[in-house]
Amino acid sequence: MGAGRAGPVPPVRLPLLSSVAEQPLHRALGLTDGEFDRIRELLGRDPNHFELAVFSLLWSEHCGYKHSALLLRRLPSSGERVLQGPGENAGVLDLGDGLAVSFKVESHNHPSAVEPFQGAATGVGGILRDIAAMGARPIAILDGLRFGRDDDHFARAVGGIGHYGNCTGIPNVGGEVVFDDVYSSNCLVNAMCVGLLPSARIMSAKATAEGALVVVYGATTGRDGIGGASVLASADLDEGDADKRPTVQVGDPFTGKRLIEVSVELVERGLVLSLQDCGAAGLASSLSEMAADYGLDIHLDRVPQREEGMEPWEVMISESQERMVAIVSPEQLADVEAVIDRWELHRAVIGEVTSSGELRAFWEDDLVGSIPARHLTDGCPRYVVEQAPREPTPERPFELPPTREALLTLLGSPQLRSRAFVTERYDQLVQSRTVRRPGLD
């Protein structure tokens, strides 16, 4: 891999949105003045525009958990059967007899509020890839939904969940639905996936060997979803929601199914050293987590692209769906490429593992950005959330005996009615053999 030119990282041009052109760039990207000063302090210099774009996404609420991390750390995360706690793509528990279960719940609230079908569908796609990245085969999907009412918005979100699960052949086996006016302006869409794997075969996302190769495979990279993690997850929704539609990713469940099969086979055959889902913040998030203990040199111009004229920063932060990143030893690269080619997915060797501790990005062998990987992950600021007690509400008197009208009102409540109108959208009889491995049918 080319080392690129030496010296300071050159400036990189990043166009501004016209509506925020009068703001400093860091504010336009969602960073506060204090966070910008912290970045300058960590780097010991001013970041260029490429680096600032990466920081803005990795330090967004969706990727950095700036306000929720301190609260989440209060939850129990260790135990006799915990094989993998926080820090990887999903948790893993020991079931005994050499078998383990991997599971994760993840929200896709703001994307589902803006574009309910694709927002909910890509939430399912992302959670499936998280489970596959642990070396597990996804076997079941669940969901928790909170909406203001049973309207078209809700129906489209349910349709997106059912569409992705049905097409990949992974059944939705359970969930819950709650309607309340408090969710009218900001719905909650929580997707969960469960997978099975041998307890001795848990994968990690982190690089473990200098000189290993970085391989991206799956769908091509485009401009869809650029900025989604910061624009959607860390911003308020208002009358301008339609302007945020380009930041919602578009999923392809059939490519997602092939991606799962490739990933499971690569892990089963021991062909990958590390495996990582490419989701929110795109390659920027995946690569920074992989580089944390070592370092990565990445050539962004080698990433398979489906649009002409993409800039380095666009390739780096694009949230195009159905992509994975693997770290592979050079000796096993040919076998890895053969598996990917058999499933007709795009692939490319885009870099290598180094011992620098830096995530360095190149474009046609020119260095466009260099950031110590730990600054993007461990360096993210944490904020204490101020708490205020909720005002008590007066208790309503309990009427005995309840009137016929009250019983009818209660039975007609959307909280108690049949959920068949949801479950009928999910094919619970589909099996993961819907698509078989080539040569095994």
Side-chain angles (χ1 to χ4, degrees), residues 252-274:
D252 178 1
F254 296 106
T255 298
K257 172 62 178 178
R258 289 184 287 157
L259 197 69
I260 292 171
E261 293 299 329
V262 168
S263 301
V264 170
E265 181 174 351
L266 291 176
V267 173
E268 286 180 346
R269 293 176 55 184
L271 297 178
V272 291
L273 302 175
S274 304

Side-chain angles (χ1 to χ4, degrees), residues 423-436:
T423 58
E424 286 173 353
R425 308 286 293 275
Y426 304 152
D427 187 351
Q428 297 187 24
L429 299 180
V430 295
Q431 299 183 21
S432 57
R433 64 167 179 253
T434 301
V435 179
R436 298 293 298 275

Side-chain angles (χ1 to χ4, degrees), residues 147-422:
F147 280 77
R149 57 190 60 86
D150 178 16
D151 55 11
D152 180 66
H153 196 130
F154 172 76
R156 290 165 62 196
V158 170
I161 294 171
H163 173 68
Y164 209 103
N166 295 347
C167 291
T168 56
I170 302 171
N172 191 311
V173 300
E176 62 174 357
V177 176
V178 173
F179 296 112
D180 194 292
D181 288 340
V182 72
Y183 302 110
S184 296
S185 61
N186 194 6
C187 62
L188 300 185
V189 175
N190 295 310
M192 178 177 181
C193 183
V194 178
L196 293 176
L197 71 160
S199 56
R201 201 190 67 196
I202 301 175
M203 290 298 300
S204 172
K206 295 179 174 60
T208 58
E210 183 180 358
L213 303 177
V214 180
V215 178
V216 62
Y217 64 93
T220 52
T221 297
R223 291 185 173 93
D224 55 307
I226 287 181
S230 58
V231 173
L232 290 179
S234 302
D236 293 329
L237 297 178
D238 51 28
E239 292 80 2
D241 294 351
D243 296 335
K244 298 186 177 74
R245 287 186 184 275
T247 65
V248 178
Q249 313 96 317
V250 177
D252 178 1
F254 296 106
T255 298
K257 172 62 178 178
R258 289 184 287 157
L259 197 69
I260 292 171
E261 293 299 329
V262 168
S263 301
V264 170
E265 181 174 351
L266 291 176
V267 173
E268 286 180 346
R269 293 176 55 184
L271 297 178
V272 291
L273 302 175
S274 304
L275 197 58
Q276 175 68 295
D277 162 42
C278 195
L283 289 170
S285 177
S286 302
L287 297 174
S288 63
E289 293 176 8
M290 295 182 112
D293 296 326
Y294 279 78
L296 295 178
D297 282 358
I298 301 298
H299 293 256
L300 294 172
D301 53 296
R302 300 176 186 175
V303 175
Q305 301 161 41
R306 64 171 175 269
E307 298 185 49
E308 296 183 359
M310 291 189 71
E311 298 289 335
W313 67 273
E314 292 179 308
V315 176
M316 188 67 162
I317 68 175
S318 166
E319 296 183 6
S320 295
Q321 294 290 286
E322 285 79 43
R323 298 178 299 162
M324 298 283 284
V325 182
I327 293 182
V328 181
S329 66
E331 296 78 16
Q332 294 181 309
L333 177 61
D335 291 334
V336 170
E337 292 177 333
V339 174
I340 299 172
D341 291 344
R342 186 167 6 106
W343 283 93
E344 299 180 352
L345 293 175
H346 297 274
R347 59 169 173 82
V349 178
I350 63 170
E352 66 179 355
V353 180
T354 69
S355 59
S356 67
E358 301 264 337
L359 175 57
R360 303 200 304 168
F362 298 87
W363 188 266
E364 297 178 350
D365 291 330
D366 287 335
L367 184 65
V368 295
S370 181
I371 307 172
R374 288 289 184 186
H375 292 348
L376 295 170
T377 53
D378 298 349
C380 182
R382 308 296 185 198
Y383 300 116
V384 177
V385 178
E386 294 185 7
Q387 302 181 39
R390 181 179 296 179
E391 292 294 331
T393 57
E395 295 184 3
R396 291 185 296 180
F398 182 71
E399 298 180 2
L400 287 176
T403 64
R404 180 175 180 273
E405 291 74 15
L407 286 175
L408 290 176
T409 300
L410 181 62
L411 292 175
S413 167
Q415 313 301 349
L416 298 179
R417 61 181 290 196
S418 167
R419 294 296 184 245
F421 68 101
V422 174

